[in-house]
Amino acid sequence: MGILLGKTMDENLKKQQEFMLKTSVIQMERQIQMQNQMRERMMAMQIARARDIFVWFGSFYTLASLGMIAGFSKQRKPTVLIPALPLTFLLAYQYDMAYGNKMERMRGEADRIMDTEGIMLSLPHGLPTYSSIEAARLDQCDKESLS
């Protein structure tokens, strides 16, 4: 009777461990999926922001260019057109960010950095551990209780 009860307890323990493992895997997959969806939403917002800035800056650029051309036609001084050069570079950069493939190039560069310069990405003192987080939490609780 005792041996039968021991086998049942071992089987239950193994089933419970398998269940806990499956549950933790599902939880991790959900967290990864949630983080990816949040990242995608943030990237979409950045692209939308770049496009909005491009519209506003494009309007400014058009008005400023018309003003510079009008000033040049009246004064016949080429110095009036000098601001057009940096403004053109800024407009081209913003267009590339909003509608071009700048994001793809940036992703490619990020991949290269991760592959060849991974040391630049390491955190000071390494990854946080459970014990370091718990120690900081307890330290914070102690400071709050003293206050």
Side-chain angles (χ1 to χ4, degrees), residues 28-118:
M28 184 174 289
E29 288 172 348
R30 285 179 179 157
Q31 287 175 349
I32 290 169
Q33 191 60 237
M34 181 186 66
Q35 288 176 351
N36 189 51
Q37 287 183 13
M38 292 303 294
R39 182 194 59 81
E40 286 175 350
R41 288 182 174 121
M42 289 171 51
M43 290 295 293
M45 284 298 294
Q46 287 178 344
I47 293 169
R49 182 175 184 269
R51 289 180 179 178
D52 184 59
I53 290 172
F54 176 74
V55 168
W56 283 92
F57 188 73
S59 301
F60 167 76
Y61 179 81
T62 302
L63 290 174
S65 296
L66 291 174
M68 285 183 273
I69 291 170
F72 176 73
S73 66
K74 286 184 180 180
Q75 297 179 359
R76 296 287 181 208
K77 293 182 181 177
T79 57
V80 176
L81 297 174
I82 290 176
L85 183 64
L87 289 177
T88 302
F89 278 102
L90 289 173
L91 184 68
Y93 176 86
Q94 196 61 40
Y95 175 83
D96 191 25
M97 179 68 94
Y99 296 101
N101 63 351
K102 184 163 188 65
M103 287 296 204
E104 291 174 24
R105 292 193 316 269
M106 289 170 41
R107 190 176 301 114
E109 180 65 12
D111 285 341
R112 189 192 65 74
I113 290 170
M114 290 179 76
D115 291 340
T116 61
E117 302 175 43

